[in-house]
Amino acid sequence: MAPVSGSNFRGNQEPTEPEPEDLIERMFERGNLLKALQAVEANQGAAGIDGLEVGQLRKHLRVHWEEIKEQILSGTYEPRPVRRVDIPKPGGGTRMLGIPTVLDRFIQQAIHQILSPIWEMGFSPHSYGFRPGRSAAQAVKAAQEQVQSGKRWVVDLDLEKFFDRVNHDVMMARVARKVKDRRLLKLIRRYLASGIMQHGLVEPRSEGTPQGGPLSPLLSNILLDDLDQELEQRGHRFCRYADDCNVYVGSQRAGERVMASLTRFLREQLKLTVNPKKSAVDRPWNRKFLGFSLTTHRASRVRVAPQTVERFKEAMRQKFREGRGRNLRAFLESLKPKLRGWASYFSVAETKQVFEALDQWLRRKLRCLEWRKWKKPRTRMRKLTALGLDRGRARESAFNGRGPWWNAGAAHMNAALPTAHLRKLGLISLMEEVNWFATLREQRAS
């Protein structure tokens, strides 16, 4: 990456407080650009509309960086449109992702690294999303503390298509409060307005900051910091993770007043709409926050929300449909990343029975998968015998005429494919993984 060196940058030392008129030069410093390049390479990700892959970025910068830098400084650089990808949402419908080109991800990351420290220290301690050293687990534990303190009603705010509906003028006004460098403001505005390409056609964008680029999360926090400040000025107890915001109050009547006033504030001040179908004033244990819920006890405990469990099962059902006819060992290997990731995220839950129940359910699904694979009764008899059942029992079981799910829960399949055998083939236990991640988290905290 030869152009990103030497006289083009002012060295790799960490600066003090950035000058508001000097931010674009700070963005071009060697240390900042190298850090941005490493972040883009580490995150990998798909190519944008130009087809340039992450692995090709360094070579591209060696050839074109001086020209790109000059365009940015002169205000003539035009970001490429983002590639639209619609992904299904757990609760139905789709969420739009906008995949920038690898080059634009690199430039956005460099901007993010300069802007983030300017705002970070002033952000609310009750904001947890897309911030260094903060996590969904911390947000959930903070919500638990509010409920345990006696705030046993929640105003659950859902912002309607937040990332698709952000008003660009409102957003830029918030950014301009601390950024005075007009060249950088112009570049950010162009990233907000860059079009969306789908099926070969570019759709202009007059609102929204689609998820998918490094800059969108920071911009969303900058905009919603106004909501945080409003809540703090009113003395409310709240937790916000990106556009998920819960306000904890002492009564239903208080919650309804808060819902009405915040709906008005968001509409008038930030041009955002509260989705009335997904928002509610309710008991915390009836609502879901970041996939979690709480128990009804006075000393409320964190649990995996029932809706989340059902979504996990549906995702697993799809995996099992795809796994029909596959080698069991290879199929179990393909499940490991999903199971480990899910266990890691939900290891903050304090009620563990759900993980044990899911382990049992997964084992039954695996036995069902194998039973379906043995299509004919004689094949089932032969397989059951090979797995250790005596011939009489194997024959009786193979010809019982029952369906796959019933047989998967019956004693003969538990004897033929016991837990130890499935573990030997590669099945991991959600309960064990959750306990391991919970222990690791406690060790890091101590």
Side-chain angles (χ1 to χ4, degrees), residues 123-151:
F123 280 151
S124 169
H126 308 293
S127 161
Y128 295 89
F130 308 129
R131 295 182 59 191
R134 292 183 158 248
S135 66
Q138 292 173 334
V140 171
K141 296 298 285 185
Q144 179 188 27
E145 291 172 5
Q146 299 298 346
V147 175
Q148 289 179 341
S149 73
K151 302 294 183 179

Side-chain angles (χ1 to χ4, degrees), residues 3 22 30-31 42 48 71 168 181 259 296 314 316 321 355 370 389 395 415 426:
D22 190 32
R30 173 181 172 78
Q71 290 175 359
H168 290 176
D181 191 321
M259 175 69 81
T296 60
E314 186 52 44
M316 285 293 104
R321 283 191 287 269
F355 303 112
E370 287 297 278
L389 270 66
R395 180 181 179 82

Side-chain angles (χ1 to χ4, degrees), residues 166 210 283 287 380 420:
V166 168
R283 294 292 196 178
R287 305 298 295 178
R380 292 168 183 161

Side-chain angles (χ1 to χ4, degrees), residues 25 57 82 93 133 186 189 262 289 293 316 319 332 339 419:
E25 279 79 12
L57 179 58
V82 298
K186 184 176 183 180
R189 166 73 85 161
L262 288 180
F289 182 48
S293 186
M316 285 293 104
K319 286 281 188 184
L332 287 170
L339 297 179
T419 301

Side-chain angles (χ1 to χ4, degrees), residues 328 366-367 370 374 387 412-419 421-422:
L328 188 56
L366 288 167
R367 292 171 184 132
E370 287 297 278
W374 309 332
L387 288 167
H412 56 267
M413 282 300 283
N414 279 269
L417 293 173
T419 301
H421 180 72
L422 295 175

